[in-house]
mmCIF file of all heavy atoms in Angstrom:
data_model
loop_
_atom_site.group_PDB
_atom_site.id
_atom_site.type_symbol
_atom_site.label_atom_id
_atom_site.label_comp_id
_atom_site.label_asym_id
_atom_site.label_seq_id
_atom_site.Cartn_x
_atom_site.Cartn_y
_atom_site.Cartn_z
ATOM 1 N N GLU A 1 -0.668 8.494 1.352
ATOM 2 C CA GLU A 1 -1.581 7.484 1.777
ATOM 3 C C GLU A 1 -1.987 6.639 0.687
ATOM 4 O O GLU A 1 -2.030 5.349 0.631
ATOM 5 C CB GLU A 1 -2.769 8.128 2.531
ATOM 6 C CG GLU A 1 -3.717 7.090 3.147
ATOM 7 C CD GLU A 1 -3.039 6.449 4.432
ATOM 8 O OE1 GLU A 1 -1.945 6.798 4.860
ATOM 9 O OE2 GLU A 1 -3.699 5.592 4.993
ATOM 10 N N LEU A 2 -2.376 7.279 -0.481
ATOM 11 C CA LEU A 2 -2.837 6.569 -1.691
ATOM 12 C C LEU A 2 -1.641 5.708 -2.219
ATOM 13 O O LEU A 2 -1.819 4.514 -2.601
ATOM 14 C CB LEU A 2 -3.339 7.533 -2.785
ATOM 15 C CG LEU A 2 -3.715 6.973 -4.044
ATOM 16 C CD1 LEU A 2 -4.813 5.910 -3.986
ATOM 17 C CD2 LEU A 2 -4.171 8.021 -5.038
ATOM 18 N N GLU A 3 -0.449 6.353 -2.321
ATOM 19 C CA GLU A 3 0.738 5.606 -2.837
ATOM 20 C C GLU A 3 1.044 4.358 -1.918
ATOM 21 O O GLU A 3 1.503 3.339 -2.430
ATOM 22 C CB GLU A 3 1.918 6.521 -2.877
ATOM 23 C CG GLU A 3 1.765 7.662 -3.909
ATOM 24 C CD GLU A 3 1.464 7.103 -5.358
ATOM 25 O OE1 GLU A 3 2.091 6.092 -5.744
ATOM 26 O OE2 GLU A 3 0.604 7.680 -6.016
ATOM 27 N N HIS A 4 0.918 4.526 -0.618
ATOM 28 C CA HIS A 4 1.183 3.380 0.270
ATOM 29 C C HIS A 4 0.239 2.241 -0.023
ATOM 30 O O HIS A 4 0.671 1.075 -0.183
ATOM 31 C CB HIS A 4 0.932 3.850 1.761
ATOM 32 C CG HIS A 4 0.832 2.677 2.707
ATOM 33 N ND1 HIS A 4 1.894 1.930 3.087
ATOM 34 C CD2 HIS A 4 -0.265 2.127 3.303
ATOM 35 C CE1 HIS A 4 1.409 0.898 3.881
ATOM 36 N NE2 HIS A 4 0.115 0.981 4.040
ATOM 37 N N TRP A 5 -1.066 2.512 -0.188
ATOM 38 C CA TRP A 5 -2.019 1.402 -0.467
ATOM 39 C C TRP A 5 -1.844 0.872 -1.890
ATOM 40 O O TRP A 5 -2.088 -0.324 -2.118
ATOM 41 C CB TRP A 5 -3.421 1.881 -0.204
ATOM 42 C CG TRP A 5 -3.725 1.943 1.267
ATOM 43 C CD1 TRP A 5 -3.744 3.088 2.065
ATOM 44 C CD2 TRP A 5 -3.842 0.839 2.188
ATOM 45 N NE1 TRP A 5 -3.878 2.798 3.380
ATOM 46 C CE2 TRP A 5 -4.011 1.430 3.506
ATOM 47 C CE3 TRP A 5 -3.818 -0.477 2.046
ATOM 48 C CZ2 TRP A 5 -4.162 0.595 4.635
ATOM 49 C CZ3 TRP A 5 -4.042 -1.258 3.162
ATOM 50 C CH2 TRP A 5 -4.191 -0.711 4.490
ATOM 51 N N LYS A 6 -1.442 1.668 -2.802
ATOM 52 C CA LYS A 6 -1.198 1.248 -4.198
ATOM 53 C C LYS A 6 -0.012 0.187 -4.165
ATOM 54 O O LYS A 6 -0.028 -0.878 -4.782
ATOM 55 C CB LYS A 6 -0.945 2.351 -5.119
ATOM 56 C CG LYS A 6 -2.188 3.029 -5.589
ATOM 57 C CD LYS A 6 -1.975 4.351 -6.364
ATOM 58 C CE LYS A 6 -1.027 4.265 -7.533
ATOM 59 N NZ LYS A 6 -0.885 5.559 -8.248
ATOM 60 N N SER A 7 1.051 0.583 -3.407
ATOM 61 C CA SER A 7 2.181 -0.295 -3.282
ATOM 62 C C SER A 7 1.806 -1.577 -2.612
ATOM 63 O O SER A 7 2.250 -2.667 -3.062
ATOM 64 C CB SER A 7 3.232 0.484 -2.568
ATOM 65 O OG SER A 7 4.261 -0.443 -2.205
ATOM 66 N N ARG A 8 1.002 -1.518 -1.606
ATOM 67 C CA ARG A 8 0.587 -2.647 -0.858
ATOM 68 C C ARG A 8 -0.265 -3.644 -1.736
ATOM 69 O O ARG A 8 -0.099 -4.756 -1.759
ATOM 70 C CB ARG A 8 -0.169 -2.227 0.434
ATOM 71 C CG ARG A 8 -0.214 -3.339 1.393
ATOM 72 C CD ARG A 8 -0.724 -2.698 2.722
ATOM 73 N NE ARG A 8 -1.375 -3.793 3.503
ATOM 74 C CZ ARG A 8 -1.597 -3.741 4.817
ATOM 75 N NH1 ARG A 8 -1.167 -2.766 5.485
ATOM 76 N NH2 ARG A 8 -2.226 -4.701 5.380
ATOM 77 N N MET A 9 -1.197 -2.954 -2.466
ATOM 78 C CA MET A 9 -1.986 -3.698 -3.407
ATOM 79 C C MET A 9 -1.122 -4.479 -4.459
ATOM 80 O O MET A 9 -1.330 -5.617 -4.684
ATOM 81 C CB MET A 9 -2.977 -2.772 -4.074
ATOM 82 C CG MET A 9 -3.971 -3.449 -5.101
ATOM 83 S SD MET A 9 -5.130 -2.406 -5.860
ATOM 84 C CE MET A 9 -4.115 -1.531 -7.042
ATOM 85 N N SER A 10 -0.165 -3.789 -4.937
ATOM 86 C CA SER A 10 0.724 -4.389 -5.924
ATOM 87 C C SER A 10 1.452 -5.596 -5.337
ATOM 88 O O SER A 10 1.506 -6.700 -5.979
ATOM 89 C CB SER A 10 1.667 -3.382 -6.469
ATOM 90 O OG SER A 10 2.637 -3.934 -7.426
ATOM 91 N N SER A 11 1.975 -5.431 -4.139
ATOM 92 C CA SER A 11 2.617 -6.532 -3.440
ATOM 93 C C SER A 11 1.760 -7.716 -3.257
ATOM 94 O O SER A 11 2.205 -8.907 -3.569
ATOM 95 C CB SER A 11 3.220 -6.056 -2.136
ATOM 96 O OG SER A 11 4.144 -5.053 -2.304
ATOM 97 N N PHE A 12 0.640 -7.519 -2.686
ATOM 98 C CA PHE A 12 -0.242 -8.571 -2.416
ATOM 99 C C PHE A 12 -0.783 -9.286 -3.623
ATOM 100 O O PHE A 12 -0.995 -10.474 -3.673
ATOM 101 C CB PHE A 12 -1.375 -8.162 -1.415
ATOM 102 C CG PHE A 12 -0.883 -8.057 -0.018
ATOM 103 C CD1 PHE A 12 -0.891 -6.858 0.688
ATOM 104 C CD2 PHE A 12 -0.364 -9.175 0.655
ATOM 105 C CE1 PHE A 12 -0.503 -6.770 1.963
ATOM 106 C CE2 PHE A 12 0.143 -9.140 1.958
ATOM 107 C CZ PHE A 12 0.125 -7.879 2.594
ATOM 108 N N ASN A 13 -1.071 -8.499 -4.656
ATOM 109 C CA ASN A 13 -1.560 -9.056 -5.959
ATOM 110 C C ASN A 13 -0.489 -9.883 -6.609
ATOM 111 O O ASN A 13 -0.797 -11.016 -7.144
ATOM 112 C CB ASN A 13 -2.005 -7.992 -6.882
ATOM 113 C CG ASN A 13 -3.370 -7.428 -6.543
ATOM 114 O OD1 ASN A 13 -4.100 -7.974 -5.787
ATOM 115 N ND2 ASN A 13 -3.707 -6.267 -7.081
ATOM 116 N N SER A 14 0.800 -9.488 -6.472
ATOM 117 C CA SER A 14 1.924 -10.335 -7.014
ATOM 118 C C SER A 14 1.980 -11.628 -6.238
ATOM 119 O O SER A 14 2.189 -12.723 -6.838
ATOM 120 C CB SER A 14 3.224 -9.551 -6.880
ATOM 121 O OG SER A 14 3.224 -8.438 -7.699
ATOM 122 N N LEU A 15 1.840 -11.503 -4.949
ATOM 123 C CA LEU A 15 1.878 -12.792 -4.084
ATOM 124 C C LEU A 15 0.740 -13.667 -4.401
ATOM 125 O O LEU A 15 0.883 -14.857 -4.565
ATOM 126 C CB LEU A 15 1.880 -12.311 -2.560
ATOM 127 C CG LEU A 15 2.243 -13.304 -1.561
ATOM 128 C CD1 LEU A 15 3.560 -13.988 -1.851
ATOM 129 C CD2 LEU A 15 2.267 -12.622 -0.194
ATOM 130 N N LEU A 16 -0.499 -13.133 -4.614
ATOM 131 C CA LEU A 16 -1.615 -13.900 -5.006
ATOM 132 C C LEU A 16 -1.429 -14.601 -6.345
ATOM 133 O O LEU A 16 -1.740 -15.766 -6.543
ATOM 134 C CB LEU A 16 -2.939 -13.093 -5.068
ATOM 135 C CG LEU A 16 -3.691 -12.902 -3.814
ATOM 136 C CD1 LEU A 16 -4.869 -12.014 -3.983
ATOM 137 C CD2 LEU A 16 -4.049 -14.160 -3.153
ATOM 138 N N ASP A 17 -0.847 -13.937 -7.268
ATOM 139 C CA ASP A 17 -0.604 -14.435 -8.603
ATOM 140 C C ASP A 17 0.376 -15.659 -8.467
ATOM 141 O O ASP A 17 0.244 -16.689 -9.129
ATOM 142 C CB ASP A 17 0.020 -13.392 -9.551
ATOM 143 C CG ASP A 17 -0.936 -12.360 -9.992
ATOM 144 O OD1 ASP A 17 -2.207 -12.541 -9.813
ATOM 145 O OD2 ASP A 17 -0.542 -11.343 -10.515
ATOM 146 N N GLU A 18 1.306 -15.513 -7.636
ATOM 147 C CA GLU A 18 2.342 -16.606 -7.379
ATOM 148 C C GLU A 18 1.687 -17.770 -6.732
ATOM 149 O O GLU A 18 1.906 -18.927 -7.147
ATOM 150 C CB GLU A 18 3.501 -16.032 -6.563
ATOM 151 C CG GLU A 18 4.658 -16.969 -6.444
ATOM 152 C CD GLU A 18 5.389 -17.211 -7.792
ATOM 153 O OE1 GLU A 18 5.443 -16.360 -8.588
ATOM 154 O OE2 GLU A 18 5.881 -18.391 -7.921
ATOM 155 N N ILE A 19 0.820 -17.550 -5.761
ATOM 156 C CA ILE A 19 0.114 -18.570 -5.047
ATOM 157 C C ILE A 19 -0.811 -19.329 -6.009
ATOM 158 O O ILE A 19 -0.982 -20.536 -5.869
ATOM 159 C CB ILE A 19 -0.667 -18.020 -3.856
ATOM 160 C CG1 ILE A 19 0.328 -17.614 -2.686
ATOM 161 C CG2 ILE A 19 -1.684 -19.010 -3.331
ATOM 162 C CD1 ILE A 19 -0.330 -16.872 -1.540
ATOM 163 N N LYS A 20 -1.372 -18.654 -6.927
ATOM 164 C CA LYS A 20 -2.257 -19.208 -7.901
ATOM 165 C C LYS A 20 -1.712 -19.789 -9.072
ATOM 166 O O LYS A 20 -2.364 -20.255 -10.011
ATOM 167 C CB LYS A 20 -3.437 -18.216 -8.220
ATOM 168 C CG LYS A 20 -4.087 -17.678 -7.000
ATOM 169 C CD LYS A 20 -5.549 -17.526 -7.119
ATOM 170 C CE LYS A 20 -6.272 -16.959 -5.891
ATOM 171 N NZ LYS A 20 -6.017 -17.647 -4.646
ATOM 172 N N SER A 21 -0.297 -19.704 -9.170
ATOM 173 C CA SER A 21 0.359 -20.245 -10.336
ATOM 174 C C SER A 21 0.214 -21.773 -10.461
ATOM 175 O O SER A 21 -0.035 -22.425 -9.473
ATOM 176 C CB SER A 21 1.843 -19.802 -10.298
ATOM 177 O OG SER A 21 2.516 -20.596 -9.326
ATOM 178 N N SER A 22 0.319 -22.256 -11.693
ATOM 179 C CA SER A 22 0.156 -23.662 -11.907
ATOM 180 C C SER A 22 1.183 -24.500 -11.096
ATOM 181 O O SER A 22 0.891 -25.628 -10.631
ATOM 182 C CB SER A 22 0.208 -24.012 -13.430
ATOM 183 O OG SER A 22 1.473 -23.647 -13.947
ATOM 184 N N ARG A 23 2.412 -24.010 -10.998
ATOM 185 C CA ARG A 23 3.497 -24.705 -10.316
ATOM 186 C C ARG A 23 3.075 -24.933 -8.864
ATOM 187 O O ARG A 23 3.235 -26.018 -8.297
ATOM 188 C CB ARG A 23 4.804 -23.896 -10.440
ATOM 189 C CG ARG A 23 5.966 -24.483 -9.703
ATOM 190 C CD ARG A 23 7.169 -23.610 -9.910
ATOM 191 N NE ARG A 23 7.015 -22.291 -9.291
ATOM 192 C CZ ARG A 23 7.538 -21.906 -8.204
ATOM 193 N NH1 ARG A 23 8.282 -22.752 -7.461
ATOM 194 N NH2 ARG A 23 7.431 -20.660 -7.681
ATOM 195 N N VAL A 24 2.629 -23.836 -8.210
ATOM 196 C CA VAL A 24 2.243 -23.904 -6.762
ATOM 197 C C VAL A 24 0.972 -24.836 -6.632
ATOM 198 O O VAL A 24 0.918 -25.673 -5.770
ATOM 199 C CB VAL A 24 1.947 -22.498 -6.245
ATOM 200 C CG1 VAL A 24 1.411 -22.642 -4.848
ATOM 201 C CG2 VAL A 24 3.273 -21.733 -6.152
#
C-alpha cells in the first residue's frame, strides 16, 4: 500500500513538474 502511493506520488509530481516547466 505504501509502495503504491509512493509510486503514484512520484508520477503525479513528475507530471506537475512538467506542467510547471517554463516551456509549458
Side-chain angles (χ1 to χ4, degrees):
E1 188 73 3
L2 177 59
E3 293 304 319
H4 164 76
W5 286 104
K6 281 170 55 178
S7 169
R8 196 166 155 161
M9 181 177 76
S10 176
S11 296
F12 283 118
N13 284 343
S14 295
L15 196 50
L16 273 180
D17 289 345
E18 190 64 33
I19 286 171
K20 304 221 180 302
S21 71
S22 60
R23 178 178 65 101
V24 172

